[in-house]
Amino acid sequence: MSLNNSSNVFLDSAPSNSNRFQVNVINESHESSAAVDNNTDPPHYEETSFGDETQNRFRISFRPGNQECYDNFLQNGETAKTDASFHAYDSHTNTYYLQTFGHNTVDAVPKIEYYRNTGSISGPKVNRPSLLEIHEQLAKNVAVAPGSADRVANGDGMPGDEEVENKEEEDNAGVVKFGWVKGVLVRCMLNIWGVMLFIRLSWIVGEAGIGLGVLIILLSTMVTSITGLSTSAIATNGFVRGGGAYYLISRSLGPEFGGSIGLIFAFANAVAVAMYVVGFAETVVDLLKESNSMMVDPTNDIRIIGSITVVILLGISVAGMEWEAKAQVILLVILLIAIANFFIGTVIPSNNEKKSRGFFNYQASIFAENFGPSFTKGEGFFSVFAIFFPAATGILAGANISGDLEDPQDAIPRGTMLAIFITTVAYIGVAICVGACVVRDATGSMNDTIISGMNCNGSAACGLGYDFSRCRHEPCQYGLMNNFQVMSMVSGFGPLITAGIFSATLSSALASLVSAPKVFQALCKDNIYKALQFFAKGYGKNNEPLRGYILTFVIAMAFILIAELNTIAPIISNFFLASYALINFSCFHASYAKSPGWRPAYGIYNMWVSLFGAVLCCAVMFVINWWAAVITYVIEFFLYIYVTYKKPDVNWGSSTQALSYVSALDNALELTTVEDHVKNFRPQCIVLTGGPMTRPALLDITHAFTKNSGLCICCEVFVGPRKLCVKEMNSGMAKKQAWLIKNKIKAFYAAVAADCFRDGVRSLLQASGLGRMKPNTLVIGYKKNWRKAPLTEIENYVGIIHDAFDFEIGVVIVRISQGFDISQVLQVQDELEKLEQERLALEATIKDNECEEGSGGIRGLFKKASQLNITKPTPKKDSSMSTIQSMHVGEFNQKLVEASTQFKKKQGKGTIDVWWLFDDGGLTLLIPYILTLRKKWKDCKLRIYVGGKINRIEEEKIAMASLLSKFRIKFADIHIIGDINIKPNKESWKVFEEMIEPYRLHESCKDLTTAEKLKRETPWKITDAELEAVKEKSYRQVRLNELLQEHSRAANLIVLSLPVARKGSISDWLYMAWLEILTKNLPPVLLVRGNHKNVLTFYS
């Protein structure tokens, strides 16, 4: 690295060999600076190379004559100073500038090992220094081995990584990997050049003509080319593992699409093995017929030959990918020779026998005659296209063994697209050549020559001396339309075409026999279908799916023995097309989602072209066979629903996730343009649960009226030193959100770190939410231990309520008899589970020790126990906790455990009593109404209690009933309470006075000086003046409790208007006493106070 603070400080370079780094030494002395000033040459810059690992570490450029000044710095390319004498962060000496960039800091230079996944097969993952390690002060007591600091700082890994890397290399030593030619190009060409090339292409040209025949080939190629481009784009957007089409689709669209198409794609490949083998067997049986060498009968001979062939192919596959690849190369050579043999045959002069069968070499008249279509009865363009299209498939043969490729990102695009191009050229070449050489109909009789004076009527054969006119009235056996062996007849040596047919069928069968298990194994490894996990196991260095091979063999044998492939063939073709459609859609979807992670190295694709390709594939499915297409869609839809229902625990960063985010973002932004309307109001709650699992009842009751209708955010405030709090907060975020998802609670988790609880809640109230999806209601649990709590906790608790009202946010305080916090129970549960796991581990160790003879006796047992880290639980200082540990969790505070689940249970027939004492905009009424819509609360009826005058009870009851009917809220009964403002009885008031006694100042009983001093020392206490000023309100709270005891003691839930404490007038302890006396000895209570803005309306 070169550093430059003034002009021309770089030293002249000296010739040297190519080294890893070049360092230019800066002379910082005064004399050197003067010398530099006299030099007017412009500075030159030399690049630093990080490329060659094997060369020397530094290359230094010296000015002439100055080299001896720096000899003391270097010894064999390294600094002369030792690690002990030179500090890695010393920037005040010349030796600092000899440090490679990245070695003078804990910060690591970019390196591929940091970006690998854990367990990557391409190399070990190395963890870069965390932001905390870089940001915090450097620990002074860290002992660093000489040279290790530099190595770690530069991202060379931690000590021991070399051993891991060497182990990886040893494990991969025998793995066979293929390049793009043998791995992709050869396989794709063999799979695309099927038996259709030799026995059906001539018939297609006869039916559709050369023009439409080439169009059919190009249309098929368009489908496969678009799919190939989409495959290339997906394959180059990150590292590709084994699994082929399944892997590409599942990682792009997610497990739902990938899991559904992966299963049918693997099955299609397994059945395709049977199809290709039967094609081979039929050709062999035809040869046996010609030589009268039939074994039993045609059908059974096909079964016998097919079964033997599949066994041989299985043996080649199981022998290993290397043997299978060699077999494919041999078959490709045979196939190329067969194709070349055909083209050579077209230029060999035809004899009379071949002419009688319609072959006249290249003739312009035949080309002109065959250029247009001549469809026979029942045939048309689409029917002929449906017959040809399966010949163009097979483009995924290379991608299907992606796990066995050296570089899938390079091999798949290059091999697939080149294979499509070569095979398309071959198909078009054969179509044009056969169309220009062979007439459509021929009799095969050498006597059918032209009689002198005969009118040819434009017939090409007639112009060439043959009369095949009788083929118009009776069927003929030769010509493009009638003879499937035209290529054998045209070729230079007929048996080579038969060898080509053998090669085409066997190579396709072999490719399918390898593809099916590989795809199936990848599917099983992902554990999407748990019942198929058995087939995920691989064997040997190449992780060969032997179990998958056996399953594929069984499926292929079954279909060979059934011998009803004509019915199943259209379904298999549609299965392949469905895969192509989803690959194209995957490419479109990933592009449309605009995820920053979508960065394919292969840039020759277009999202709309991919979408067109997907639609084209779906259309072709119906063209080939409409009922087969329907069956394919039904099966895929069923599997999609199944995988969606099972919800596999995977996260592949699919484009579905990306699009969900984009949609959510767009909807949130669009929502900001819409003004709030009272008809659309819904409670959007911040719930102060702490960890959501610690107060489940509070979360359950809130979730009951926010589920599927409003926002619910479970919030936790971490109080204490920020460094510790932030660390604890960050480590638990994902776990707590996962707990919500696991328990099917539709809520978010949010946490903040703050100096005090109130500050944290204040931050949450102001900053939580997004756009219109901002909280409008604060839900908190009642502080049951307020009498024993420190002063600051009470100030924070009441202050939170004041803050919520300041921000115009409604407040809901929930009280249940046993309280909400079950963190102590969870702690006991965790400890008991840990003890149980240790016990099971110890039992397993003892069992293993008993089974192994000579394993070291009791010493071996203790050694294993120490490896398992089994230790005696440390006794707690708290004696109550020691008692708890000895008890079963179900026996510990059973009432608290039951109370924590009370809102999970279905509430039986009962009532929700709504004490709507003060009009807060309607939130006190809306929340219980929403609860009655829920499944658990639907059997509960609303009873409405309102205050009124004793002499106007009926009138006010009618008025309230009218209001509720306008709000369209059903109710069971309305009660007008006319005696709310009378004084409570003496016993109740005495209980209240005893409750507040410890917090009273009693300044009226003391002299003025003492009273003023007490006020300064304990400003939080309740003064006599304050108590007298709000005596009527205190009476009301005590009286309301008496009424609640009288009317709502048996209710399932009480919803009650929350009294508001005026700031500066009501002390915190008095307000807590109000809440205590108001809700004492009652069923679950919701104290509700809206923000006094309408949340109900009777206007449409």
Side-chain angles (χ1 to χ4, degrees):
M1 178 183 177
S2 302
L3 300 176
N4 182 16
N5 294 321
S6 61
S7 63
N8 201 12
V9 296
F10 291 86
L11 305 178
D12 294 333
S13 59
S16 60
N17 296 328
S18 175
N19 297 320
R20 181 180 177 192
F21 296 106
Q22 173 155 330
V23 179
N24 294 281
V25 180
I26 303 172
N27 192 326
E28 295 179 335
S29 65
H30 177 74
E31 292 79 11
S32 180
S33 299
V36 168
D37 292 337
N38 294 330
N39 194 340
T40 58
D41 293 337
H44 66 274
Y45 298 85
E46 294 174 308
E47 292 185 355
T48 300
S49 170
F50 290 87
D52 191 355
E53 293 280 327
T54 61
Q55 301 298 324
N56 294 333
R57 194 170 183 181
F58 303 105
R59 180 166 76 220
I60 304 178
S61 301
F62 301 98
R63 286 191 182 277
N66 289 349
Q67 182 169 352
E68 64 276 9
C69 298
Y70 306 102
D71 285 343
N72 63 320
F73 290 138
L74 295 181
Q75 290 180 354
N76 297 326
E78 296 292 341
T79 57
K81 287 191 176 185
T82 63
D83 290 67
S85 63
F86 174 69
H87 194 276
Y89 310 103
D90 181 10
S91 62
H92 301 288
T93 63
N94 286 342
T95 48
Y96 170 77
Y97 299 106
L98 299 181
Q99 289 289 302
T100 307
F101 175 69
H103 280 258
N104 56 342
T105 174
V106 177
D107 248 344
V109 297
K111 199 170 183 181
I112 189 173
E113 283 78 3
Y114 298 134
Y115 296 91
R116 287 197 176 110
N117 288 333
T118 304
S120 171
I121 61 173
S122 57
K125 175 179 172 58
V126 177
N127 292 323
R128 69 176 62 81
S130 68
L131 186 60
L132 191 65
E133 292 169 347
I134 297 172
H135 188 224
E136 294 293 333
Q137 289 185 353
L138 188 67
K140 295 181 179 180
N141 58 347
V142 177
V144 182
S148 63
D150 287 348
R151 182 170 174 267
V152 174
N154 201 31
D156 293 338
M158 298 299 295
D161 283 345
E162 289 181 5
E163 288 79 358
V164 174
E165 201 162 342
N166 292 337
K167 187 176 183 299
E168 291 281 346
E169 290 176 2
E170 289 175 9
D171 291 342
N172 296 333
V175 176
V176 178
K177 295 289 184 180
F178 303 111
W180 71 274
V181 176
K182 189 184 289 188
V184 181
L185 181 64
V186 170
R187 293 173 187 279
C188 288
M189 288 172 62
L190 284 170
N191 239 26
I192 297 171
W193 276 333
V195 70
M196 191 75 66
L197 175 66
F198 297 102
I199 62 176
R200 283 297 175 91
L201 188 57
S202 57
W203 176 85
I204 288 167
V205 173
E207 289 283 346
I210 296 172
L212 289 182
V214 171
L215 183 62
I216 287 172
I217 295 170
L218 292 176
L219 184 59
S220 302
T221 301
M222 181 171 68
V223 175
T224 56
S225 297
I226 294 173
T227 306
L229 292 174
S230 299
T231 304
S232 301
I234 299 172
T236 57
N237 189 54
F239 184 76
V240 179
R241 295 183 184 273
Y246 159 72
Y247 185 89
L248 298 178
I249 295 171
S250 62
R251 268 50 177 184
S252 294
L253 291 179
E256 296 83 7
F257 282 104
S260 58
I261 202 65
L263 196 60
I264 65 175
F265 186 71
F267 177 76
N269 273 285
V271 178
V273 175
M275 291 176 57
Y276 295 129
V277 168
V278 167
F280 167 77
E282 285 179 348
T283 307
V284 174
V285 169
D286 288 341
L287 295 175
L288 293 177
K289 282 182 184 178
E290 293 178 5
S291 59
N292 294 321
S293 302
M294 299 291 293
M295 291 178 283
V296 186
D297 58 66
T299 302
N300 285 313
D301 282 6
I302 289 173
R303 289 170 176 164
I304 293 169
I305 296 169
S307 300
I308 296 171
T309 305
V310 156
V311 171
I312 295 171
L313 293 178
L314 178 66
I316 295 173
S317 301
V318 172
M321 290 295 294
E322 193 171 5
W323 284 95
E324 185 266 349
K326 290 177 180 177
Q328 292 280 29
V329 172
I330 293 171
L331 292 173
L332 179 63
V333 171
I334 296 172
L335 194 58
L336 290 173
I337 292 172
I339 294 173
N341 176 51
F342 164 76
F343 286 112
I344 292 170
T346 59
V347 296
I348 297 175
S350 178
N351 54 34
N352 290 333
E353 182 182 0
K354 288 186 177 181
K355 287 181 179 179
S356 66
R357 296 182 179 183
F359 173 52
F360 295 94
N361 295 109
Y362 292 104
Q363 301 291 337
S365 58
I366 296 178
F367 181 88
E369 184 179 72
N370 289 341
F371 189 81
S374 179
F375 295 113
T376 55
K377 186 177 181 181
E379 299 295 347
F381 177 81
F382 288 109
S383 64
V384 173
F385 173 79
I387 291 170
F388 173 78
F389 184 80
T393 59
I395 61 171
L396 297 179
N400 286 339
I401 62 161
S402 52
D404 296 293
L405 300 174
E406 286 181 1
D407 184 5
Q409 291 180 290
D410 175 68
I412 292 175
R414 188 187 297 186
T416 303
M417 298 311 297
L418 185 58
I420 292 173
F421 175 76
I422 293 173
T423 53
T424 301
V425 170
Y427 272 125
I428 292 175
V430 170
I432 293 174
C433 289
V434 78
C437 296
V438 185
V439 296
R440 282 192 166 101
D441 295 297
T443 59
S445 173
M446 289 184 287
N447 297 324
D448 289 340
T449 53
I450 295 296
I451 302 171
S452 59
M454 182 177 178
N455 185 8
C456 291
N457 292 325
S459 170
C462 180
L464 296 169
Y466 281 82
D467 178 19
F468 299 141
S469 57
R470 63 188 175 96
C471 292
R472 299 173 188 171
H473 312 292
E474 60 183 59
C476 294
Q477 295 183 352
Y478 297 98
L480 295 175
M481 307 279 279
N482 311 303
N483 183 15
F484 290 154
Q485 302 298 327
V486 166
M487 287 192 68
S488 296
M489 177 190 68
V490 173
S491 66
F493 183 61
L496 280 178
I497 298 298
T498 304
I501 295 173
F502 288 171
S503 174
T505 52
L506 291 178
S507 62
S508 298
L510 192 57
S512 298
L513 185 57
V514 171
S515 298
K518 293 282 185 182
V519 173
F520 192 59
Q521 182 188 35
L523 176 66
C524 297
K525 275 185 176 179
D526 289 335
N527 203 21
I528 292 177
Y529 302 100
K530 296 188 183 297
L532 302 178
Q533 184 67 20
F534 174 78
F535 296 98
K537 184 174 176 58
Y539 296 87
K541 291 288 186 181
N542 268 54
N543 198 33
E544 294 291 348
L546 297 185
R547 296 174 180 178
Y549 281 129
I550 300 301
L551 180 63
T552 305
F553 170 76
V554 170
I555 294 172
M557 283 292 292
F559 279 97
I560 288 170
L561 296 176
I562 292 170
E564 290 292 338
L565 294 180
N566 288 338
T567 304
I568 200 72
I571 298 178
I572 302 307
S573 297
N574 275 275
F575 281 1
F576 285 123
L577 274 168
S579 304
Y580 295 172
L582 277 181
I583 287 175
N584 284 309
F585 184 73
S586 298
C587 184
F588 162 76
H589 201 266
S591 303
Y592 184 73
K594 298 175 183 176
S595 172
W598 173 249
R599 303 184 300 274
Y602 190 84
I604 310 174
Y605 75 95
N606 180 274
M607 59 184 286
W608 300 111
V609 172
S610 295
L611 179 62
F612 173 71
V615 173
L616 200 59
C617 288
C618 295
V620 171
M621 290 173 69
F622 283 95
V623 168
I624 290 177
N625 193 299
W626 69 268
W627 59 263
V630 171
I631 291 174
T632 304
Y633 284 125
V634 169
I635 294 174
E636 188 174 338
F637 180 73
F638 170 77
L639 293 174
Y640 178 87
I641 295 298
Y642 173 81
V643 177
T644 304
Y645 175 75
K646 288 295 183 180
K647 291 183 180 177
D649 186 19
V650 294
N651 183 10
W652 295 324
S654 65
S655 60
T656 305
Q657 294 172 331
L659 194 60
S660 297
Y661 174 83
V662 172
S663 300
L665 185 61
D666 289 343
N667 290 335
L669 289 170
E670 187 177 349
L671 197 60
T672 59
T673 64
V674 180
E675 292 294 329
D676 288 331
H677 194 280
V678 64
K679 287 195 296 183
N680 293 323
F681 177 87
R682 57 199 67 217
Q684 303 195 114
C685 301
I686 277 186
V687 197
L688 299 185
T689 58
M693 63 284 289
T694 58
R695 292 176 178 81
L698 181 61
L699 180 56
D700 289 337
I701 189 63
T702 309
H703 190 241
F705 58 82
T706 59
K707 181 181 180 182
N708 295 329
S709 63
L711 179 69
C712 181
I713 307 176
C714 301
C715 295
E716 184 171 11
V717 179
F718 290 86
V719 179
R722 190 178 66 174
K723 181 179 178 181
L724 297 176
C725 288
V726 169
K727 185 177 181 181
E728 183 183 357
M729 179 180 70
N730 291 341
S731 63
M733 293 281 281
K735 179 183 175 183
K736 290 167 183 175
Q737 184 64 54
W739 184 90
L740 292 171
I741 296 170
K742 181 182 178 182
N743 289 272
K744 299 180 179 178
I745 296 173
K746 297 184 177 181
F748 300 96
Y749 172 77
V752 293
D755 295 330
C756 75
F757 184 70
R758 184 178 179 182
D759 287 345
V761 176
R762 191 184 287 125
S763 300
L764 289 166
L765 290 173
Q766 294 178 88
S768 295
L770 189 68
R772 295 290 180 193
M773 294 185 295
K774 290 186 71 69
N776 52 35
T777 307
L778 171 68
V779 181
I780 57 177
Y782 177 69
K783 191 167 185 62
K784 189 181 177 185
N785 66 337
W786 65 275
R787 298 188 207 186
K788 300 178 182 178
L791 173 63
T792 54
E793 288 189 12
I794 301 301
E795 289 177 345
N796 283 336
Y797 186 82
V798 179
I800 287 166
I801 299 172
H802 288 308
D803 292 338
F805 290 148
D806 287 342
F807 298 135
E808 295 188 341
I809 290 175
V811 175
V812 177
I813 301 176
V814 187
R815 180 175 186 179
I816 59 177
S817 58
Q818 298 298 321
F820 293 105
D821 191 357
I822 63 166
S823 54
Q824 206 172 23
V825 177
L826 295 176
Q827 182 182 353
V828 174
Q829 265 185 334
D830 291 341
E831 290 184 1
L832 290 175
E833 287 176 4
K834 184 178 179 181
L835 288 172
E836 180 66 15
Q837 289 174 359
E838 291 179 348
R839 185 185 66 80
L840 293 174
L842 183 58
E843 287 180 357
T845 306
I846 294 171
K847 187 176 180 181
D848 292 343
N849 187 68
E850 290 173 350
C851 295
E852 295 176 6
E853 295 183 0
S855 60
I858 194 70
R859 290 184 181 178
L861 173 62
F862 280 116
K863 184 178 180 181
K864 290 184 178 180
S866 64
Q867 289 173 353
L868 287 167
N869 211 11
I870 299 172
T871 58
K872 184 178 179 181
T874 305
K876 304 290 181 182
K877 293 181 181 179
D878 189 354
S879 60
S880 63
M881 277 305 297
S882 299
T883 306
I884 291 168
Q885 286 181 0
S886 64
M887 299 167 60
H888 190 276
V889 68
E891 298 171 358
F892 168 68
N893 206 338
Q894 185 67 26
K895 290 183 179 179
L896 180 59
V897 174
E898 290 177 358
S900 69
T901 61
Q902 63 179 306
F903 297 125
K904 293 182 185 292
K905 302 171 184 175
K906 182 175 174 60
Q907 307 295 316
K909 290 185 177 180
T911 63
I912 298 177
D913 288 359
V914 182
W915 290 70
W916 195 15
L917 303 177
F918 307 104
D919 194 333
D920 58 351
L923 186 63
T924 308
L925 189 59
L926 181 62
I927 288 177
Y929 167 73
I930 295 174
L931 285 175
T932 60
L933 303 178
R934 305 306 185 196
K935 189 176 180 180
K936 291 184 176 69
W937 294 88
K938 67 178 182 179
D939 293 332
C940 294
K941 306 298 182 184
L942 291 184
R943 293 194 303 186
I944 311 298
Y945 292 84
V946 293
K949 297 179 180 179
I950 296 178
N951 59 351
R952 287 182 52 84
I953 288 179
E954 288 302 320
E955 290 87 342
E956 292 188 4
K957 187 173 184 178
I958 292 170
M960 179 55 61
S962 174
L963 179 60
L964 293 175
S965 64
K966 287 182 179 179
F967 285 149
R968 303 170 302 283
I969 292 178
K970 295 179 181 179
F971 56 91
D973 201 359
I974 297 176
H975 296 271
I976 306 298
I977 308 298
D979 53 350
I980 292 178
N981 289 325
I982 66 173
K983 286 186 180 181
N985 61 49
K986 292 182 179 180
E987 291 78 10
S988 301
W989 182 250
K990 185 178 180 181
V991 170
F992 178 74
E993 286 185 324
E994 290 175 352
M995 186 184 301
I996 64 174
E997 180 61 31
Y999 316 108
R1000 291 187 62 179
L1001 189 64
H1002 289 295
E1003 79 280 5
S1004 59
C1005 302
K1006 301 176 177 63
D1007 60 83
L1008 187 60
T1009 306
T1010 305
E1012 290 298 326
K1013 181 181 178 182
L1014 287 173
K1015 284 182 182 180
R1016 288 193 302 271
E1017 292 175 351
T1018 55
W1020 50 270
K1021 283 197 172 184
I1022 305 169
T1023 64
D1024 293 341
E1026 176 193 356
L1027 195 60
E1028 186 64 30
V1030 294
K1031 195 168 189 178
E1032 292 298 324
K1033 290 185 178 180
S1034 299
Y1035 280 157
R1036 186 191 306 148
Q1037 313 311 324
V1038 179
R1039 175 59 183 158
L1040 277 172
N1041 182 259
E1042 293 177 349
L1043 293 171
L1044 287 163
Q1045 298 282 354
E1046 178 184 348
H1047 294 281
S1048 299
R1049 182 72 177 168
N1052 294 55
L1053 181 69
I1054 298 173
V1055 181
L1056 175 65
S1057 292
L1058 172 69
V1060 176
R1062 191 178 296 277
K1063 287 194 296 183
S1065 300
I1066 309 297
S1067 62
D1068 296 340
W1069 294 96
L1070 179 59
Y1071 186 64
M1072 292 304 299
W1074 281 2
L1075 300 183
E1076 174 70 27
I1077 198 65
L1078 186 60
T1079 58
K1080 188 178 178 63
N1081 297 327
L1082 289 173
V1085 178
L1086 266 64
L1087 293 166
V1088 181
R1089 175 68 68 157
N1091 62 0
H1092 286 241
K1093 293 181 181 178
N1094 287 351
V1095 301
L1096 294 172
T1097 182
F1098 44 77
Y1099 294 108
S1100 59

